[in-house]
Amino acid sequence: MFNIVHAEFIAPGIKKFTIEAPRIARKQKPGQFVILRIYAQGERIPITIAGSDPQNGTITIVVQSAGKTTNLLNSLNSGDPILDVVGPLGKPSEIAHFGTVVVVGGGVGTAMAYPTAAALKQAGNRVISMIGARTKELVIFESELRAVSDVLMITTDDGSYADKGFVTDKLRQLIQNGVPINLVLAIGPVVMMKAVADLTRSERIRTVVSLNPIMIDGTGMCGGCRVLVDGKSQFACVDGPEFDGHEVNFEVLTQRNSMYRSAEQRSMDEFQHRGETQSVEDRDCVIAGGVK
Amino acid sequence: MTPVTKRSANPLLARERIKLPRQSMPEQPAQIRATNFTEVNLGYSPELAWQEALRCLECAKPTCMQHCPVGVKVHEFVQLIVAGDFLGAAAKIREDNVLPAVTGRVCPQEDHCEGYCLLAKKVPALGIGYLERFVADYEQKMSARSLPKVPPTGKKVAIVGSGPSGLTVAGDLVQKGHKVRVFEALHELGGVLVYGIPEFRLPKQIIREQLDYMRAMGVEFETDVVVGRTVTIDELMEEEGYDAVFIGTGAGLPQFMNIPGEHLNGVYSANEFLTRINLMKAYQFPKYDEPMIDLHGKDAAVIGGGNTALDAIRSALRLGARKAYVIYRRSEAEMPARAEEAKHARQEGIDFQWLTNPVEFLSDGKGWLTGVRCVRMRLGEPDASSRRRPVPIEGSEFELPLSVAVIAVGTSANPMIQSTTPGLATDKRGYIQADPEKQRTSRKGVFAGGDIVTGSATVILAMGAGRRAARSIHEYLTTGGW
């Protein structure tokens, strides 16, 4: 059991959790993730760690409601337990002095990009950060990212906050203005990471993306998270999650991530149609560790 | 041939014993069991067990025991059954084997004890596995296990992995008075016994009972710890004060075949397929949240001929697959699976395509599997494994329509611990090097055994390594000698 010591919504449908996990907090490095299972009948889901506090033995994760599991997770509050939290998994981000680094966070990926941006800044890089969100309310981690960036740029799809457009527009501008860029790190939706990689490919700017395939154990045992990188099978859980964005086959990633779409939809529909009383019961069940 | 001793409780002469038929194992009818996950074998009754035990010739030289990887005193426990002392028989097995209810079910007895039974020279071997299972289940039903009381030694041992080798080390060392803590990466204990072997072959309740017993003996367990990531071997020894560490993390990464189409939706590794079913209970979706492809009315195939392959395809059959194929590149004789599993699979209607190898997975153009293109093989000259090498027959390609394909062609070493433990020597395939006698690694105080040392093998061989490791860990902890 892992206790939630703090939980708050930081945007509609996006909740930030501080979880007691002393072993993980001690070892976590930027770019790594945890796998959670919130109750006995639950699935295992990977979530990139947004930060840790080794002294207090806590880690921070940011979760966006999407399917049943993330909705259930986001119904939990301070004091509630999570059945299983395992990590830190995956290889840490490569932190070195590259020169000028552009860190691109898309949506909830912004929270996941933050620890790497901070570490890159600490390593002496000039850090240009970009946040892309659908709309104003969904811009998260703005002040956190600002604090570790030399420049922070924000775009919203609908123009409700900062500049209207996409992060790729900003990145293209930088490139066109002749800003020398030594490394781009993109974390967010697959379409965004693919767009960033497509943009930097012809410029030969080294681009790292953090992949989010379907995963079960996270230790290399099942091979479910295999991705095609440079034509070869790689396991995102042990070889990644970060890969060279110019080598990743995003079509295969999208295709494999769609494998259980109908089941996921069914889970979500049943979850939503059970109504308020049932969802309180579900929440209690989660808190009780899944014992119905 | 008069191996019968005078003091035997068995009234029969050797020639009478040879005439007794081997008592067959009661089992669920094939057509019924092919639709459920309940155990196939139902177990001997006390009468059947006694009848079977009477067949033992009580050889002066017990080759059965000599060929048991953990050294179970087969001849002694069988005579206790003859004498009607079932609990005594169970206790006798426990002297050498902490998981008798498991090995009685999944051990390839034909390669070990039963393969060397004197009876087998003329008639079917003594049903040693069935007898072991019987007394282990009998003891469980009677809740009659005694807890050994031993004075604590003050030494602490960390065990990495709760599979068969780790549990064996834990069980053996706790009985010597050492403080033992087992670290498991997954949320459930048991390793391959839980995520790999299906319910119909090894009910999970049996593992839970074994684990409860070990907890009662004082073994501590911690789940959700990936050693190498959550904590390193050095941290366990230097910061958490463990005097010795045993690494039993199992086989590791599933191998793929590097043929076109392996990334299609519907192509699984056996580890993923079985983990979804056994660990995550995906077949009970949506009661359980983890999904898997609905197999009802669809055709499925497994590639490979080992126990894992048969576990996967028999699971697919139970999940409603219309046709269920085993595609294996050698012939029936070379199949590494346990004889009983191959027999059960045939009875259940699994379609074996021997001497067949896939060359490409076929797709619908939208990323979903629709079939596999195969080539027929013939056996050529013997290869390094001394089995005859399969060679493709030109022009023999054909297509098999499929919705699900499961790849069960073996595993390679998981590098997580090796890469985070300085000075831990590995072989050229990446497996941890440990001496075969004492299971010592290149690092003082660190021992290893099971699949992470040998590559994919069996539960009983991992347990054998665990036994040897426990003995040498105890020796190391008491003498300090390395």
Side-chain angles (χ1 to χ4, degrees):
Chain A
M1 287 286 195
F2 296 78
N3 235 15
I4 299 171
V5 291
H6 186 74
E8 59 169 327
F9 277 105
I10 56 172
I14 300 179
K15 203 163 187 175
K16 181 173 147 186
F17 293 92
T18 307
I19 301 166
E20 225 166 38
R23 281 191 186 279
I24 304 172
R26 242 184 102 210
K27 298 288 284 186
Q28 182 261 342
K29 294 204 174 74
Q32 291 187 301
F33 63 93
V34 285
I35 286 188
L36 311 180
R37 190 181 71 133
I38 58 175
Y39 68 124
Q41 289 84 6
E43 60 182 341
R44 293 169 65 97
I45 58 161
I47 294 182
T48 303
I49 306 168
S52 60
D53 180 345
Q55 274 75 46
N56 288 316
T58 59
I59 59 165
T60 304
I61 58 166
V62 175
V63 180
Q64 180 164 37
S65 303
K68 176 181 173 183
T69 301
T70 44
N71 270 284
L72 261 179
L73 184 52
N74 281 354
S75 74
L76 300 182
N77 292 312
S78 315
D80 291 344
I82 295 177
L83 193 53
D84 296 286
V85 181
V86 60
L89 300 169
K91 288 184 179 164
S93 309
E94 186 190 345
I95 305 297
H97 182 78
F98 296 99
T100 298
V101 178
V102 177
V103 177
V104 183
V108 76
T110 309
M112 300 160 189
Y114 164 68
T116 305
L120 287 168
K121 177 69 194 164
Q122 188 133 41
N125 292 285
R126 176 167 183 248
V127 176
I128 302 172
S129 293
M130 298 180 177
I131 299 175
R134 274 208 322 275
T135 187
K136 182 181 177 184
E137 291 79 53
L138 296 176
V139 175
I140 58 168
F141 270 60
E142 182 183 347
S143 60
E144 287 92 336
L145 212 48
R146 190 181 302 281
V148 299
S149 307
D150 296 276
V151 182
L152 177 68
M153 301 175 175
I154 300 172
T155 61
T156 47
D157 298 4
D158 61 1
S160 55
Y161 184 63
D163 293 339
K164 181 174 162 55
F166 301 105
V167 281
T168 39
D169 302 333
K170 291 283 170 198
L171 185 57
R172 190 177 297 110
Q173 266 173 28
L174 282 184
I175 294 168
Q176 281 166 358
N177 294 345
V179 176
I181 301 169
N182 303 96
L183 176 75
V184 173
L185 171 78
I187 305 181
V190 176
V191 281
M192 182 212 89
M193 294 190 288
K194 182 178 185 302
V196 169
D198 286 344
L199 182 62
T200 57
R201 184 175 289 113
S202 56
E203 307 296 325
R204 301 225 171 102
I205 301 170
R206 192 178 155 205
T207 299
V208 173
V209 294
S210 177
L211 303 188
N212 57 335
I214 291 172
M215 204 175 272
I216 305 181
D217 63 291
T219 65
M221 183 270 281
C222 87
C225 66
R226 64 190 185 277
V227 288
L228 259 187
V229 181
D230 192 19
K232 288 190 272 294
S233 248
Q234 302 262 296
F235 293 177
C237 67
V238 288
D239 302 317
E242 294 183 359
F243 293 99
D244 181 339
H246 298 154
E247 305 283 8
V248 169
N249 186 323
F250 288 102
E251 286 73 24
V252 165
L253 177 66
T254 306
Q255 165 225 309
R256 286 186 61 80
N257 276 350
S258 74
M259 193 153 164
Y260 300 108
R261 187 138 305 153
S262 61
E264 286 157 5
Q265 192 57 51
R266 188 175 155 200
S267 254
M268 187 60 194
D269 288 347
E270 286 184 15
F271 174 68
Q272 281 176 327
H273 291 152
R274 283 151 75 166
E276 197 57 33
T277 337
Q278 189 63 48
S279 66
V280 170
E281 257 177 50
D282 280 339
R283 197 183 152 273
D284 291 346
C285 160
V286 167
I287 293 165
V291 189
K292 283 202 185 182
Chain B
M1 185 177 58
T2 51
V4 179
T5 61
K6 281 180 210 156
R7 286 160 54 215
S8 172
N10 191 334
L12 301 178
L13 298 172
R15 64 169 185 275
E16 294 171 315
R17 299 182 194 186
I18 292 172
K19 283 188 192 141
L20 293 175
R22 173 167 160 136
Q23 299 300 314
S24 52
M25 169 60 72
E27 56 189 38
Q28 278 197 76
Q31 292 84 345
I32 294 173
R33 71 182 190 240
T35 63
N36 67 47
F37 272 84
T38 315
E39 198 176 5
V40 171
N41 287 346
L42 303 173
Y44 275 164
S45 63
E47 293 72 25
L48 280 178
W50 186 70
Q51 284 281 335
E52 181 62 22
L54 285 178
R55 298 178 64 228
C56 177
L57 294 173
E58 298 174 65
C59 306
K61 226 175 85 190
T63 44
C64 45
M65 176 184 85
Q66 289 160 6
H67 287 90
C68 174
V70 296
V72 167
K73 300 175 207 73
V74 176
H75 54 306
E76 295 184 26
F77 96 72
V78 172
Q79 287 320 301
L80 287 163
I81 298 177
V82 171
D85 183 5
F86 301 148
L87 293 177
K92 183 57 73 182
I93 298 176
R94 272 191 188 284
E95 290 175 9
D96 304 290
N97 177 355
V98 294
L99 303 168
V102 172
T103 50
R105 287 171 164 83
V106 305
C107 198
Q109 287 90 5
E110 67 269 25
D111 296 337
H112 303 292
C113 54
E114 293 183 20
Y116 295 89
C117 174
L118 195 56
L119 280 173
K121 290 190 192 296
K122 288 191 171 175
V123 293
L126 183 68
I128 298 167
Y130 294 164
L131 291 174
E132 179 179 48
R133 174 198 156 128
F134 166 74
V135 292
D137 289 357
Y138 183 88
E139 181 194 46
Q140 178 59 39
K141 244 179 271 167
M142 299 290 130
S143 344
R145 278 179 212 153
S146 56
L147 290 175
K149 288 222 167 56
V150 279
T153 62
K155 300 286 186 187
K156 275 171 73 180
V157 183
I159 291 165
V160 186
S162 65
S165 70
L167 292 181
T168 301
V169 178
D172 281 1
L173 287 180
V174 80
Q175 296 184 54
K176 300 278 190 200
H178 304 301
K179 195 165 157 58
V180 175
R181 191 172 182 86
V182 181
F183 296 94
E184 167 57 48
L186 291 171
H187 58 259
E188 214 170 306
L189 298 166
V192 70
L193 305 174
V194 166
Y195 75 74
I197 304 178
E199 188 75 17
F200 58 82
R201 208 149 74 78
L202 181 62
K204 300 301 157 256
Q205 183 56 27
I206 285 166
I207 320 285
R208 282 192 284 269
E209 284 160 1
Q210 301 278 345
L211 290 166
D212 286 344
Y213 178 59
M214 297 186 85
R215 274 193 200 94
M217 285 198 293
V219 177
E220 294 172 4
F221 292 98
E222 186 172 344
T223 52
D224 296 329
V225 177
V226 182
V227 173
R229 289 266 189 248
T230 314
V231 64
T232 64
I233 300 283
D234 286 307
E235 286 164 349
L236 286 173
M237 298 183 83
E238 284 159 23
E239 293 168 28
E240 300 196 21
Y242 288 96
D243 300 291
V245 177
F246 174 79
I247 305 169
T249 48
L253 319 176
Q255 278 178 351
F256 289 88
M257 305 173 69
N258 298 315
I259 60 172
E262 276 180 333
H263 286 75
L264 292 170
N265 294 352
V267 180
Y268 290 95
S269 77
N271 278 2
E272 182 186 358
F273 189 74
L274 289 169
T275 299
R276 281 185 185 274
I277 295 169
N278 300 329
L279 180 73
M280 303 309 295
K281 308 271 183 284
Y283 63 98
Q284 294 186 52
F285 179 89
K287 188 184 159 203
Y288 283 76
D289 291 336
E290 194 80 49
M292 69 182 298
I293 289 181
D294 183 1
L295 276 141
H296 285 94
K298 293 182 185 150
D299 298 339
V302 68
I303 293 122
N307 286 317
T308 307
L310 295 191
D311 283 346
I313 199 63
R314 293 171 71 199
S315 296
L317 189 72
R318 283 158 172 78
L319 293 174
R322 187 176 54 182
K323 283 190 176 151
Y325 304 97
V326 169
I327 298 174
Y328 181 52
R329 64 197 181 122
R330 301 178 199 255
S331 75
E332 180 174 13
E334 287 84 23
M335 278 209 344
R338 251 180 116 227
E340 188 179 37
E341 307 313 325
K343 181 188 90 179
H344 283 159
R346 272 192 299 275
Q347 289 171 346
E348 289 164 14
I350 301 292
D351 183 338
F352 284 87
Q353 299 282 322
W354 286 296
L355 290 166
T356 305
N357 209 27
V359 290
E360 182 185 4
F361 293 107
L362 309 169
S363 112
D364 64 353
K366 294 175 201 148
W368 289 85
L369 178 75
T370 56
V372 60
R373 180 174 299 124
C374 297
V375 63
R376 298 289 186 194
M377 313 289 276
R378 63 181 175 79
L379 292 179
E381 296 303 308
D383 62 11
S385 72
S386 76
R387 293 181 298 180
R388 291 173 67 194
R389 186 195 301 274
V391 186
I393 300 171
E394 230 173 277
S396 66
E397 294 199 359
F398 68 101
E399 287 178 9
L400 210 55
L402 291 178
S403 299
V404 168
V406 181
I407 301 175
V409 296
T411 52
S412 59
N414 190 326
M416 213 165 322
I417 287 184
Q418 297 87 312
S419 62
T420 53
T421 312
L424 188 67
T426 56
D427 67 16
K428 58 178 184 292
R429 295 176 306 159
Y431 292 104
I432 296 174
Q433 282 187 336
D435 73 84
E437 192 197 335
K438 297 198 165 179
Q439 305 296 137
R440 290 172 307 192
T441 67
S442 57
R443 283 283 308 269
K444 191 179 179 191
V446 180
F447 301 76
D451 284 4
I452 192 60
V453 170
T454 58
S456 308
T458 62
V459 168
I460 191 67
L461 290 175
M463 291 175 61
R467 279 229 95 188
R468 289 191 298 278
R471 214 176 292 134
S472 73
I473 291 170
H474 178 63
E475 186 189 302
Y476 169 69
L477 292 178
T478 43
T479 68
W482 182 252

